[in-house]
Amino acid sequence: DRRWNKMLSPSVYAGQRLYVAPAPPPTPEAARAEALRLVCRRGGVGLAEAAYYLDECGGDAVEAIAALKADGEEAAARLPPARE
């Protein structure tokens, strides 16, 4: 199966408008995978912990990151002060 790049065609010239169909919406699995990657990267956690926070927040990555950071701040506040 050979695909040709239509941009190399002599019928395409500079300044010509090319119409491109919009990308299809992501599948629910792809959207969840992207949200998991975002929570892992921004939250600095592993996949299991990211999945837990994402499920707790109904699949909203922004809320999951906020909840993760809030839990981290709460845990840090409970730690005894560092000795100098």
Side-chain angles (χ1 to χ4, degrees):
D1 178 38
R2 205 176 228 189
R3 294 183 181 181
W4 294 94
N5 186 348
K6 294 184 181 183
M7 296 298 293
L8 297 177
S9 169
S11 62
V12 176
Y13 54 89
Q16 179 181 5
R17 270 195 193 162
L18 299 176
Y19 295 98
V20 179
T27 63
E29 294 83 17
R32 178 171 169 74
E34 182 62 30
L36 279 172
R37 280 192 293 273
L38 183 64
V39 175
C40 284
R41 265 186 283 142
R42 296 284 174 101
V45 295
L47 191 60
E49 194 170 359
Y52 168 79
Y53 279 99
L54 193 63
D55 290 340
E56 286 294 311
C57 294
D60 186 2
V62 175
E63 282 185 33
I65 294 167
L68 177 65
K69 290 189 182 215
D71 283 353
E73 291 169 0
E74 183 181 316
R78 287 191 309 244
L79 289 176
R83 295 184 186 191
E84 293 181 9

